[in-house]
Amino acid sequence: MNSTAETITATGIPSGKIGVWWFLASEITVFGGFIASYIVVRLGSSGWSEAAAHLNFSLALVNTFVLLTSSLTMVLAFAAVEGGNRKRLRTYLWLTILLGLTFLAIKAFEYGGEIAAGFTPGAGIFWSFYYGMTGLHALHVLGGVVVNLILLFATLRGLLKPNEHRVELAGLYWHFVDIVWIFLFPLLYLT
Amino acid sequence: MLNWFPENISTFGGEIDSLFYLILYITGAWFIATEGLIVFFLIRFRRRQGSKAAYLPGETLRQASWILVPCVVVLVLDLWIDFRGAAVWAKVKGGMPPSDLRIQVTAKQFNWEIVYPGPDGKLGTADDLLMENELHVPAGKVVHVVLKSKDVIHSFFLPNLRLKQDIVPGREIEAWFEATKPGKYEIPCAELCGFGHSGMNGWLHVHTADDYAKWVREQWPSEK
Amino acid sequence: MSEKLGFWRTYLFSTDHKTIAKQYFTLGLLWAIVGGLTAYLMRWQLAFPDTEVPGWGFIAPDFYNMLVTMHGTILVFFVAMPILLATFGNFLIPLMIGARDMAFPRLNMLSFWVFALASLVLLISFFVPGGAASAGWTGYPPLSAKADYTGVGWGINLWILALALEFISFLMGGINFLTTTINLRAPGMTFFRLPLIIWMQITAAVLFMLSVGPLIAGAVMLLMDRTLGTTFYLPEGGGEPLLWQHLFWFFGHPEVYVILLPGLGMVLETMPAFSRKPIFGYRPIIYSTIAAGILSFIVWAHHQFISGMDPRLAMPFSITTIIISVPFALIVFAMIATLWRASIHFSTPMLFALGTLSVFILGGLTGIFNGSAPIDIYIHDTYFVVAHFHYTLFSATFFAGFAGITYWFPKMFGRMMNETLGKIHFWLTFIFFNATFIPMHFVGLGGMMRRIANPMEYEFLKSLQPVNEFITVCAILLLISQIPFVVNFLWSMIRGSVAERNPWQANTLEWSAPSPPPHGNFETIPVVYRSPYEYSSPEATEDWLPQDRPLTPSAAARQ
């Protein structure tokens, strides 16, 4: 890292952590804006529940468990860093990445089924929001997978120091993406 | 009073104009006071030989009150403007005085399609009459206008009536006015609506009661 | 720190905040030239409709719409933001808080290059088939949501993409600004010893970061409508056109302050230095700034009084809008009070600071008209609004920008600018700015709509045409008036007299670094003993007292 970035901080909190929190704050407003738009437009018109009934609830439920489990493995990865156990760190990063990819694969399968049934993004306003919100969320999951892959390569090449706070920062982001899904799931599937 | 606006021919236009002048006097006074003070200070306190600036951080309440008290005055004047504004808004947009004349204006790129209800007074019946860009109304009578759009957002602007209302596709928005003076006035579109936005224009014909009756007879000759 | 970096790392892929600031400035100035050109073309067309523009040719109505769209987009997102926020924020934050660089220097470099990419995308959009975006800088759907309505295909897609990249760039920049200010302050630099421009910059960063999110979501929806066939904004598919307006203006009003606050910050730095007097009411100004920032989140629907939203919503928004004048009034009063019993030196930066103040007052006052819902019925979408926002944004971007650049030029480039050319530039700009935009208010009150290519198509506007011609002549002269600045800027960079460390005898920390500061800024990290505006303090014998000068040896020892 650049030497200037590692100087003693005025607050005692690592700069990276402050940066990630600010980043998440603005991310909240992105999804907050999307979700608020969904609620407002939905309240102003009808026919949404009928469209939502065509969604594959059981697959989405499985996906919710996949994502929740990945949050758990991410926490365990962080615990491994804290404990200085590089091998366990690798294992849990791998698991998190695999679970993230599983989530994306199931999501893609879901999209495929819906498009085959004629529910394309242009099939109506519910479908616009469905594809918009879950698509943006999926892109965030993909981003998280890439971040975790970078960390995994860093551990494989021995670049990751014990006590490395980058895993914690990646974890903050990963949990955020998870929480977004916790909002999207009931809003889209359970209404 | 300078005549900046186009001639007002609406029953509520005068109230909008007088609210404008109220704000103009208040802000005008502030403009003169602040800019005058700046110019005065610039001349009076320019750098001169041997002069030293005062040390006035303005942090104590006593000092800061020099800027806090004027702010309270600003707040009071703001609220005055708000209350006057609320009254005018309630009259223009709050509700609509009843009327039996309802005309539908459908905007499209780049024309106004104006549909008259005809003698039965109802829109959507066989005796409706469609005219492009020509809006005929009687003076001294409340007119309701149903605003619809076929494509993008347009804005129905009647400068002389101090009326402007955006037209949103997918919605029916109703506006009203009462013209006071017969004549011919323009209806420009005030919202960017595509390459033909400039020049999207219609005509408002305000008739006297007799002229209007005559116009109605010409349009629907079979009716009595 | 002492390692020698090659050409690429020094000038292009630099992580030095000062170099990055200059990169933003260069790109911002280049875009300003394009923005000026669009203004010239539009003004000519408005004054002499359908005649050949000298040096260009005829302007078709759809090309005029593109000019309108690009002028707004470029000036707001590609001139005002990179210059006011990115240039001055990057240059000043580490120097003024006593840090060696930003908290994340490589992220900072990335921010710039994402911005450069956004610029490239916007530039490319001019040359794609169908032309550049032409749905207004506000891009209201359905006009912007379907290619059929404008005839513009990829132009608008690239326009959305360029804006999205620009937002990402400034999000990363904002994270850097905030983290740096929170974490890298020098010893003794408490939050209430920060120079006001730093307060303005970080407030602007917070406003941007918390307001842009919904618009990013909105932009995703718009792009999906255009490319994937969704119907977020298309009523025929159950969509809601007004949704975009809410998302856009929820961002749009804080965005105005994202531009305005750094501009006011430059005035607040320049004014005490050339008045030799502390800024009047340091803390009240900070509290006002925060109050205005919070209020800016609940005023957005004042852009939509007549948009078709529920008319009952208008008055609450009208009230919050008009009340936002109170915190800004306080800042203006504080500036005026700073001049009282001062010792005013009319240098070029001071002239521009005073120009900003006097112009901004008028822009603020005309805002009261716009904020009043009933008045807005008539003046909405007229040139009165255009005149209003040029008074506020031109004052912040150009008057304050010139105040900033002439004030910190010695620190940026190690040389002094020419005062005579600077004063000529100021007076020409000040005169022709007012000559251009004061008449524009009256054209607007006469009813002239924004974004029409030819006022002569309307009977009721024909009598205003001489005024339009006068505005155009003055606008062209205003553009020509920028030549002395360009000459002065380029000439001084090479030939200006060498600047000392602290040519203005100012108090803030950047002046205790060498001119220009080397990579790493300070020989030793300064220690801060006091607030930033201790001019003419009774404690000192001179009329200035830098933040990092210990008054007694024991005070220095304690730190």
Side-chain angles (χ1 to χ4, degrees):
Chain A
M1 287 297 279
N2 195 309
S3 58
T4 49
E6 295 300 311
T7 44
I8 298 156
T9 66
T11 54
I13 307 166
S15 291
K17 211 174 206 175
I18 297 178
V20 168
W21 277 115
W22 278 113
F23 170 66
L24 294 182
S26 55
E27 281 276 34
I28 288 171
T29 67
V30 176
F31 282 101
F34 224 133
I35 291 171
S37 303
Y38 169 79
I39 293 171
V40 169
V41 175
R42 180 163 180 156
L43 289 177
S45 53
S46 57
W48 293 61
S49 303
E50 293 77 23
H54 295 286
L55 289 175
N56 194 330
F57 172 74
S58 36
L59 268 185
L61 193 64
V62 172
N63 240 354
T64 307
F65 283 117
V66 170
L67 214 51
L68 282 174
T69 318
S70 77
S71 255
L72 178 69
T73 54
M74 196 71 213
V75 171
L76 291 170
F78 173 56
V81 175
E82 295 272 276
N85 189 331
R86 200 170 287 174
K87 196 163 162 274
R88 284 182 59 186
L89 169 64
R90 255 175 253 161
T91 315
Y92 286 124
L93 277 178
W94 258 123
L95 274 172
T96 313
I97 291 164
L98 281 177
L99 287 165
L101 291 174
T102 312
F103 175 87
L104 290 175
I106 295 177
K107 194 75 230 159
F109 181 75
E110 241 188 288
Y111 282 163
E114 281 141 7
I115 289 168
F119 301 114
T120 59
I125 186 67
F126 173 81
W127 297 100
S128 296
F129 272 102
Y130 168 73
Y131 284 103
M133 293 203 285
T134 55
L136 192 64
H137 175 259
L139 283 178
H140 279 76
V141 174
L142 191 63
V145 168
V146 171
V147 169
N148 285 341
L149 271 174
I150 291 170
L151 288 176
L152 183 67
F153 281 120
T155 54
L156 289 175
R157 291 171 60 200
L159 289 176
L160 214 60
K161 300 186 290 274
N163 237 342
E164 170 67 60
H165 67 279
R166 274 190 285 171
V167 177
E168 188 188 356
L169 303 184
L172 285 174
Y173 173 77
W174 192 258
H175 298 318
F176 164 76
V177 173
D178 197 358
I179 291 166
V180 168
W181 180 255
I182 299 299
F183 277 92
L184 294 187
F185 177 62
L187 276 173
L188 291 169
Y189 291 85
L190 299 180
T191 49
Chain B
M1 208 177 277
L2 287 166
N3 195 16
W4 292 323
F5 300 108
E7 186 190 10
N8 167 42
I9 57 149
S10 137
T11 47
F12 54 67
E15 291 179 45
I16 289 179
D17 291 1
S18 70
L19 179 63
F20 177 88
Y21 284 106
L22 170 76
I23 301 176
L24 182 68
Y25 296 141
I26 293 174
T27 54
W30 277 114
F31 180 76
I32 292 164
T34 49
E35 304 279 6
L37 212 53
I38 292 171
V39 172
F40 172 68
F41 286 172
L42 292 186
I43 297 167
R44 174 71 182 74
F45 300 115
R46 68 188 184 278
R47 178 186 285 185
R48 275 174 293 198
Q49 278 283 295
S51 73
K52 196 171 185 261
Y55 178 75
L56 294 165
E59 290 278 301
T60 60
L61 193 62
R62 225 177 93 89
Q63 282 183 3
S65 55
W66 282 98
I67 55 174
L68 293 176
V69 171
C71 279
V72 174
V73 179
V74 171
L75 180 65
V76 171
L77 293 172
D78 279 353
L79 292 174
W80 184 22
I81 292 170
D82 282 329
F83 282 117
R84 278 289 307 275
V88 178
W89 182 262
K91 172 157 187 192
V92 181
K93 296 273 181 182
M96 305 219 292
S99 170
D100 49 12
L101 182 53
R102 242 170 129 242
I103 300 171
Q104 177 178 293
V105 175
T106 307
K108 63 172 190 195
Q109 288 178 325
F110 303 96
N111 272 313
W112 308 110
E113 280 181 355
I114 293 156
V115 176
Y116 297 88
D120 67 350
K122 286 195 192 92
L123 286 163
T125 50
D127 64 347
D128 285 5
L129 177 71
L130 188 146
M131 290 181 121
E132 289 231 326
N133 297 328
E134 302 283 330
L135 178 57
H136 294 266
V137 298
K141 194 166 190 301
V142 173
V143 180
H144 287 196
V145 193
V146 185
L147 299 166
K148 298 198 317 195
S149 169
K150 281 188 174 167
D151 36 48
V152 300
I153 297 176
H154 300 267
S155 192
F156 183 69
F157 185 23
L158 294 166
N160 299 83
L161 286 154
R162 307 292 185 265
L163 174 67
K164 192 186 287 127
Q165 176 62 55
D166 284 4
I167 308 177
V168 184
R171 290 186 180 212
E172 267 186 38
I173 299 168
E174 247 181 282
W176 73 277
F177 62 84
E178 184 184 339
T180 54
K181 193 184 159 195
K184 194 180 168 199
Y185 311 93
E186 280 169 295
I187 319 172
C189 171
E191 182 69 64
L192 180 65
C193 59
F195 69 87
H197 168 57
S198 186
M200 176 166 170
N201 200 2
W203 289 97
L204 169 73
H205 303 267
V206 181
H207 301 282
T208 59
D210 293 345
D211 280 352
Y212 183 72
K214 196 170 139 231
W215 178 82
V216 169
R217 276 197 303 278
E218 282 167 13
Q219 304 307 322
W220 291 275
S222 56
E223 303 284 327
K224 291 201 183 66
Chain C
M1 230 36 74
S2 57
E3 65 189 301
K4 275 265 175 264
L5 301 166
F7 171 82
W8 294 97
R9 294 280 314 275
T10 313
Y11 295 105
L12 277 176
F13 299 101
S14 170
T15 55
D16 184 350
H17 69 102
K18 300 180 290 296
T19 308
I20 293 171
K22 288 174 195 168
Q23 289 173 323
Y24 272 115
F25 191 65
T26 312
L27 216 47
L29 282 187
L30 290 176
W31 275 119
I33 294 169
V34 183
L37 178 68
T38 55
Y40 163 68
L41 297 176
M42 283 191 292
R43 275 319 315 176
W44 187 277
Q45 165 67 20
L46 286 173
F48 314 108
D50 300 335
T51 61
E52 206 166 335
V53 184
W56 187 272
F58 290 97
I59 291 178
D62 49 350
F63 185 72
Y64 183 87
N65 289 349
M66 191 214 82
L67 291 174
V68 167
T69 306
M70 282 301 159
H71 181 77
T73 305
I74 290 171
L75 264 300
V76 171
F77 295 114
F78 291 83
V79 178
M81 286 184 68
I83 289 181
L84 294 177
L85 222 67
T87 303
F88 288 101
N90 264 311
F91 188 78
L92 295 175
I93 288 175
L95 277 167
M96 284 185 133
I97 67 171
R100 295 206 180 276
D101 206 319
M102 283 288 187
F104 312 111
R106 284 185 298 179
L107 185 70
N108 205 14
M109 180 178 81
L110 186 65
S111 308
F112 171 74
W113 282 104
V114 172
F115 175 69
L117 184 63
S119 297
L120 185 68
V121 172
L122 193 71
L123 195 64
I124 289 171
S125 82
F126 281 91
F127 302 104
V128 293
S134 64
W137 83 279
T138 50
Y140 280 8
L143 185 65
S144 60
K146 241 180 167 178
D148 295 346
Y149 290 143
T150 50
V152 178
W154 271 94
I156 292 181
N157 296 352
L158 292 177
W159 175 79
I160 299 170
L161 187 65
L163 288 188
L165 288 169
E166 208 260 5
F167 294 156
I168 292 167
S169 158
F170 277 86
L171 271 179
M172 295 191 288
I175 290 170
N176 233 332
F177 282 17
L178 287 163
T179 312
T180 307
T181 313
I182 290 170
N183 248 4
L184 301 190
R185 282 166 290 123
M189 181 60 92
T190 58
F191 276 104
F192 283 110
R193 282 178 181 172
L194 286 174
L196 285 167
I197 192 166
I198 304 299
W199 272 103
M200 296 289 173
Q201 289 280 358
I202 59 171
T203 312
V206 173
L207 292 185
F208 182 79
M209 293 175 65
L210 297 185
S211 66
V212 78
L215 183 59
I216 290 178
V220 169
M221 298 182 214
L222 187 58
L223 199 59
M224 287 179 72
D225 273 6
R226 290 184 64 84
T227 54
L228 297 179
T230 55
T231 55
F232 289 105
Y233 303 121
L234 297 171
E236 59 269 32
E240 175 51 86
L242 290 187
L243 174 62
W244 168 267
Q245 295 185 23
H246 286 287
L247 297 172
F248 187 89
W249 291 116
F250 180 78
F251 161 77
H253 206 80
E255 166 69 13
V256 173
Y257 296 149
V258 168
I259 293 169
L260 182 63
L261 294 179
L264 292 178
M266 304 210 212
V267 179
L268 291 164
E269 292 307 313
T270 317
M271 213 171 240
F274 296 105
S275 304
R276 313 311 292 166
K277 195 167 163 280
I279 198 81
F280 192 90
Y282 171 83
R283 279 182 197 230
I285 289 175
I286 293 172
Y287 297 139
S288 291
T289 306
I290 295 169
I294 294 169
L295 275 174
S296 76
F297 282 97
I298 48 168
V299 299
W300 80 88
H302 66 213
H303 297 267
Q304 300 170 252
F305 287 146
I306 57 157
S307 69
M309 70 170 189
D310 191 333
R312 286 168 300 184
L313 288 173
M315 276 327 286
F317 280 103
S318 186
I319 290 167
T320 54
T321 302
I322 292 182
I323 282 181
I324 216 166
S325 63
V326 174
F328 283 109
L330 186 134
I331 295 173
V332 165
F333 294 146
M335 287 175 179
I336 297 174
T338 305
L339 299 174
W340 184 54
R341 294 179 64 193
S343 172
I344 298 162
H345 175 46
F346 294 100
S347 62
T348 308
M350 184 62 168
L351 287 174
F352 273 110
L354 294 166
T356 314
L357 173 60
S358 57
V359 167
F360 174 67
I361 288 174
L362 187 55
L365 290 172
T366 52
I368 306 273
F369 294 90
N370 299 332
S372 174
I375 305 296
D376 186 69
I377 298 172
Y378 179 66
I379 61 178
H380 183 82
D381 269 333
T382 66
Y383 267 80
F384 189 86
V385 177
V386 177
H388 159 74
F389 66 67
H390 280 88
Y391 260 88
T392 48
L393 294 184
F394 194 102
S395 71
T397 313
F398 292 98
F399 282 104
F402 287 132
I405 199 68
T406 49
Y407 182 60
W408 281 293
F409 188 90
K411 190 54 64 185
M412 280 180 141
F413 299 101
R415 291 180 186 270
M416 303 300 288
M417 283 182 95
N418 183 295
E419 275 290 298
T420 314
L421 273 176
K423 281 174 185 160
I424 292 171
H425 173 223
F426 167 75
W427 283 110
L428 290 176
T429 305
F430 188 73
I431 290 165
F432 289 121
F433 169 78
N434 285 301
T436 304
F437 290 100
I438 284 183
M440 212 177 261
H441 289 98
F442 300 112
V443 176
L445 293 180
M448 181 167 159
M449 298 77 69
R450 294 169 71 175
R451 296 162 168 179
I452 54 166
N454 185 354
M456 296 300 278
E457 290 173 314
Y458 303 88
E459 287 303 319
F460 76 112
L461 297 178
K462 282 191 173 150
S463 64
L464 298 169
Q465 200 53 17
V467 189
N468 269 323
E469 288 166 18
F470 176 80
I471 293 172
T472 295
V473 171
C474 293
I476 292 170
L477 290 170
L478 177 62
L479 290 171
I480 293 172
S481 306
Q482 305 314 306
I483 292 173
F485 170 75
V486 176
V487 171
N488 194 3
F489 185 78
L490 295 175
W491 185 83
S492 302
M493 217 190 303
I494 305 158
R495 286 289 168 82
S497 58
V498 173
E500 47 186 302
R501 221 167 246 253
N502 190 355
W504 313 118
Q505 302 189 325
N507 286 344
T508 38
L509 291 184
E510 78 274 25
W511 302 108
S512 41
S515 296
H519 200 155
N521 296 343
F522 299 95
E523 289 99 339
T524 51
I525 290 291
V527 174
V528 176
Y529 299 97
R530 62 185 65 79
S531 57
Y533 307 111
E534 294 295 293
Y535 294 97
S536 304
S537 160
E539 291 181 48
T541 46
E542 296 154 304
D543 64 356
W544 52 303
L545 187 52
Q547 284 191 281
D548 59 338
R549 181 186 295 170
L551 267 181
T552 54
S554 62
R558 267 207 304 278
Q559 296 278 349

